[in-house]
Amino acid sequence: RALGATITYDPNYRQRLWNSEAEAVEQMKKPLSLVDILKVSDEEILLICETDNIEEAARQLCEKYSIALVLVTLGAKGAYYRFKDYDGIVPGVKVTVADTNGAGDTFFGAFLSRMAYMKKYNPSKLSKEDIKQVLAFANRAAAITTSRSGAIPAMPTLDEVVD
């Protein structure tokens, strides 16, 4: 980070990997002050924060840890984002779901790859419209993944995602 790298973080909480929920939350919070882009699920953000409201939780994370961009996956509903002084939801893509395994990883990978494609390697370079476009791309990629079985084999090619 000191050299200008953008730090991204997806805690990817899996209950069975921890001795307790409290231990998991404590460990998931440790790197937050270093993070520029945080990707969490709707369940993870409520676990990490002391509220049951996603918008409030994202605001708390941005303010407390100086996180530039918080992305919250909402399953079929799409993705919520908090960036600077604005937030919103980019709707999901309707598909027949075969397997949700790998959807979050596909979503975040697609989001970051689209940022790189745009040559905007830092969230500060993104506009509100950029974020909406990149989230729509990531939502399409994740939706395709959920329409297939298996995590990695289900991930789409670029040609499948580009509309």
Side-chain angles (χ1 to χ4, degrees), residues 96-101 144-155:
T96 300
V97 175
D99 184 359
T100 60
N101 195 17
I144 293 168
T145 298
T146 66
S147 71
R148 305 172 182 170
S149 294
I152 293 173
M155 291 182 178

Side-chain angles (χ1 to χ4, degrees), residues 57-162:
R59 188 191 62 73
Q60 285 178 12
L61 288 169
C62 288
E63 289 179 5
K64 182 174 183 177
Y65 298 102
S66 299
I67 299 171
L69 176 59
V70 173
L71 307 172
V72 183
T73 54
L74 306 172
K77 294 177 184 172
Y80 169 85
Y81 66 93
R82 157 111 9 224
F83 181 64
K84 298 182 181 175
D85 291 334
Y86 48 86
D87 65 343
I89 293 177
V90 175
V93 177
K94 188 174 173 90
V95 295
T96 300
V97 175
D99 184 359
T100 60
N101 195 17
D105 293 329
T106 299
F107 170 87
F108 203 28
F111 185 91
L112 295 172
S113 73
R114 190 62 11 177
M115 279 182 65
Y117 173 80
M118 297 166 67
K119 298 189 183 334
K120 296 186 177 184
Y121 303 105
N122 188 298
S124 66
K125 305 289 185 195
L126 296 169
S127 69
K128 185 177 182 179
E129 278 309 307
D130 288 337
I131 290 175
K132 289 179 181 179
Q133 289 175 5
V134 175
L135 283 174
F137 178 85
N139 283 344
R140 285 193 303 277
I144 293 168
T145 298
T146 66
S147 71
R148 305 172 182 170
S149 294
I152 293 173
M155 291 182 178
T157 65
L158 178 60
D159 287 341
E160 291 176 294
V161 182
V162 175

Side-chain angles (χ1 to χ4, degrees), residues 40-78:
V40 287
S41 71
D42 49 356
E43 295 167 349
E44 289 167 336
I45 196 167
L46 299 179
L47 186 66
I48 292 170
C49 294
E50 299 172 11
T51 179
D52 61 356
N53 180 285
I54 289 171
E55 293 86 359
E56 175 60 22
R59 188 191 62 73
Q60 285 178 12
L61 288 169
C62 288
E63 289 179 5
K64 182 174 183 177
Y65 298 102
S66 299
I67 299 171
L69 176 59
V70 173
L71 307 172
V72 183
T73 54
L74 306 172
K77 294 177 184 172

Side-chain angles (χ1 to χ4, degrees), residues 1-50:
R1 188 172 198 199
L3 296 174
T6 296
I7 307 300
T8 67
Y9 178 43
D10 176 359
N12 207 2
Y13 173 70
R14 297 292 179 262
Q15 182 179 5
R16 67 185 177 278
L17 299 178
W18 296 96
N19 294 322
S20 70
E21 185 177 284
E23 177 190 6
V25 170
E26 178 185 340
Q27 294 302 317
M28 288 189 300
K29 285 181 174 181
K30 281 189 175 182
L32 290 176
S33 62
L34 301 173
V35 173
D36 298 303
I37 304 174
L38 174 67
K39 181 267 175 204
V40 287
S41 71
D42 49 356
E43 295 167 349
E44 289 167 336
I45 196 167
L46 299 179
L47 186 66
I48 292 170
C49 294
E50 299 172 11

